[in-house]
Every structure is written in C-alpha cells, then in structure tokens.
Amino acid sequence: MKLIINGNISPYYVQTLCLIFFPGSKFSESEEVTDEVPVVTVNLEETEDALSAVAQIKLGDTFAVGKCSELKRKKRTYVDLSKVVVGKALFEAGTNFFAYTPSWGILTGIRPSKIARKIYDEGYDGAQIRKILRNEYLLSNKKAALLTSITLNEAKIIEELSKDSCSLYISIPFCPTRCAYCSFISFATKRLLSMIPEYLERLLLDLDGVFEIIKERGLKLSTIYIGGGTPTTLSAAQLDTLLSKIEENVDVTMLEEYTLEAGRPDTIDPEKIRVIKEHGVTRISINPQTLNDTVLDGIGRRHTAADFFRAFEMAREGGIQQINTDLIAGLPSEGYRSFSKSVDEVLALRPENFTVHTFCVKKAADVAKQGGDVYSAPGGDVLKSVDYSQLRAKSSGYIPYYLYKQKNTVGNLENVGFALPGCEGKYNIYIMEELQTIFAVGAGSVTKMVDREHNMIERYFMPKYPYEYLAKDNSETIRKEYFSKIRDFYSRLDALRANGENGENN
C-alpha cells in the first residue's frame, strides 16, 4: 500500500486507520504504484480556528474521497483533534469506497476503554459517554453501549485501587504444541522444552529481585498472574517449586487475585490441580478456543472438546475458586453455527469468567505464512458470532468487564471479558487501564512502571526468547541492568515528589 501524508499527523496513526479497511496491508514509501496497489492520500491543514482534512483512497480507476473540518476547542489538544479530523475523513473515504461501515468507527488503539474512561473522568454520565462515542468517534450503537458499560463496570473496581499497589506477571513461554494462530513467545520443540529446568532456576532469581524491590518500596502486591505460553506445561514438581518461591515472599491469602493460566486442557491433570490449589491460586484459565474437534485439529491444538470437559471437571472437583474459559470467534473453517454451539456449551458450565476473542492474524503466526485470504475487513459471519456471544453472556447473568482490540482482527472486532458479578479478573483491568506498576519476570515479559500522581509510564523489556534470557555470556548483565532501571525509576520519582514536580513521561 502506498501512503501519502501532507500535514502534521502521525504516519503510524494513519496506518492504523488504513488497516481498518485494508487488514494485513504493508506500507512502503518506495512502493511502485500499479492498478493492484491501493494509494491512500491524506491532507491535513490548520487555520487559526480549525483543523481540516481530506482523504482519498484510490485503486486503479476507482477512488473515494472523505472530508472533515472541526473547530478548535480549549479542552482538546492538537493531537486529539487532528486524530479525530483525519480519522473521520479517512473513515468517510473508506465507507464510500467499500460500502462497508466498521462498527468501531475510528477507534484503532488496543485500549479503547482508556478513551471512554477519559470521558467518564471529565464528569459525563453513561448516556453522554455513549453519545460522544457515537458522534465523535463514529462507533455503532452496539459498540458504544458495550464500551460504556465496561467503563462503568471498571470504574467500581478502579476506585478501590490503592496508590501503593502493584501486580506481578510471571512468564512461562512454553507450550506442548504451537497453535497456528499464535504469535506469543512460546516454544514447543523437545530441545526448547528441555530448557525448562534452567529457565525455572533463572526465573526464581528474578523473582527474588522483584520481591526485594516490593519490600523496599513498601508496596502492596494486589494480583499475581502466571501466564505464557502455557504454565501447566511445567510438571507438578516444577509448579510446586515456582509457587513455593512465591509463598516464601507473599502472603497469598491477602492477594485480591492469584491467576495461573492452564490454557491447554491436555496439560492438566489432578496432581497439578492439587498443587495449584494447595499453594493458594484462586483463578485459572482453561481455554478450548472452540469445541469443534475438526477446527481444533486444523489450528494445531492437540486436544479435543472431551479433554476440555475433563479438565474443567478436574478444576471444579479440585476446588479452584474461579475458572476462566476462552473462545475465539472467526477461527479458520469455523462458521456461526459451530461457534454459537461452543458458546452455549461453555456457558452451560457456568465458568466465573468467559472471554471471547476475535481471530487475529499476527505476522509471526503460522497461519499468516500459509497464504490464502486469512484477513477479512467485513468479517463474514464473525460479527454475527460476536454479537451472539455477547447476547448469550448477558442473558446468562454475565457482565462485560474489560475489553481490548488488536490490529488485523477479522471484521476489526474486539476481545471482551465477561464475568459473573463479583468475579471480574482484576489483573486484566489493571494492565489494560495502566493503573499500577506491573512487575514482570521471564523471557518476553515487560515490566510497566506506573505512577499516576506524576503521569509517568515506563516499560522495561526482558530478552524476548528463552535462549537469550538464559545466555551465559550476558544473562547476569541483563539482569543487573533490568533491576537497575527499576531502581532508577524510583530514584527519579522520589526526586520529583521531593520537588513537587510532574513527570509527564508516558
């Protein structure tokens, strides 16, 4: 795709808008223009009183144009206003070109709830928030209502969050097999799985470092989330070692939430459930993604629907307080009838959390390398599938409590977490809303340092792959630098507090 931009607007933002209508597209300044190459032109102009944008989409002899002009207002920054103006112009061009109106309007970021929350924090009520989302950001009535509901539900939990709280994420980037749609840093070959004992040893060292900082700063650990990969790829003994280390440093009975992903039913057995329960884990995920065995085989999941039901029963009988179950709408070869059947069967089990993802094509995923049309802007019957999941969840007594979006999802649709009242997954809210520091250890993990008082957010990355994380020549150096950055953040924060300054680092 060829992108031509004139004016002071972020090229990346314009690219994300283009992906709404051209999912999976790549952008190159040197792209040679042919009849098969879409050309998108955006012109943004500023006057003393207003910002105006004109957008054109051209493919061969076919083209469409969109325009928008809005007056400047005191409460709106140039960046916010320019995004709205350019977004509306390009949205109009796209809907004219394709005769298709995306339901999420011009909201493109991973965290649309942050925009809705900003509106909420300005004092608007639910009806006003919905109106702004429809008129300003062009959301459909359904999506505006969904996002508003989530914002109001989140607010109740966010208001109870203390300023000195933090969370901890622990990465276990190993799986029994790799799913065709997966882009996570997870490993499934025998050689890489053989790294687990050494990986666990290094992980425990990093946990010691994190717990030391938490104690030094007098922070309150509110949630722990052990994710992956698939943490239950570890043996029962290895899980016991990891969870024992946590218990040595944390009174887990005081945590708001303690989650361990057990996403692959084929990694779960009674002994692992016993270990998980004995160490105080309160929440696990068991994720079939679909209950259609043919689709499961096609996406590289080496388990059946029957395996899922057995694993779910094990967790229930083992006394796990909360179970989350994930489904994915729009998986290759799965239509509405099959997906809706999976929704019905999962909800019949009454998991405390029920999460519905929309199929997302990542560049690193195997399915994206297989060729064929794995992208779809309108989404076929996936919109119908997502709508069904939300209606059924509501009628079954679940409330939507968190939401995020990704680029290149089928139909540009969302991922939504539902919960029985009082069972919301708090870690999911905290990380999506960027409300507290979340320490992270393990390969591919990202520590996010947050101070709301001084508007500071900084991210520190661990090495991406396990073999980098364990590299003999630099692992200790990486470890020292990592914890040095965290301590430096707190040193700068202490200085700001002493001087009464604002960090403004986001």
Side-chain angles (χ1 to χ4, degrees), residues 235-274:
S235 67
Q238 290 166 337
L239 283 171
D240 181 66
T241 298
L242 173 60
L243 300 179
S244 293
K245 169 61 72 173
I246 294 170
E247 275 195 293
E248 289 173 10
N249 293 275
V250 180
D251 181 356
V252 297
T253 64
M254 298 301 291
L255 294 171
E256 296 175 18
E257 180 179 278
Y258 191 1
T259 298
L260 186 145
E261 287 189 357
R264 297 288 288 267
D266 46 333
T267 64
I268 300 171
D269 60 41
E271 180 64 10
K272 292 180 184 179
I273 292 294
R274 182 190 64 77

Side-chain angles (χ1 to χ4, degrees), residues 47 61 67 87 90 142 162 180 304 332 399 407 422 425 441 464 483 503:
T47 65
D61 294 329
K67 300 178 181 180
L90 193 47
K142 283 183 180 178
S162 63
T304 64
I399 59 172
K407 291 184 295 185
V441 296
K464 190 173 184 180
F483 286 105

Side-chain angles (χ1 to χ4, degrees), residues 4 163 275:
I4 302 170
K163 291 183 178 180
V275 170

Side-chain angles (χ1 to χ4, degrees), residues 62-111:
T62 306
F63 71 93
V65 176
K67 300 178 181 180
C68 180
S69 180
E70 298 214 4
L71 295 174
K72 296 177 180 178
R73 289 183 296 193
K74 289 183 179 180
K75 285 189 176 181
R76 297 173 92 184
T77 66
Y78 174 87
V79 172
D80 288 343
L81 183 58
S82 63
K83 284 185 175 182
V84 169
V85 170
V86 169
K88 286 183 174 181
L90 193 47
F91 190 83
E92 181 182 347
T95 55
N96 289 338
F97 191 91
F98 289 99
Y100 154 64
T101 304
S103 58
W104 277 98
I106 62 172
L107 286 191
T108 61
I110 192 172
R111 297 177 174 87

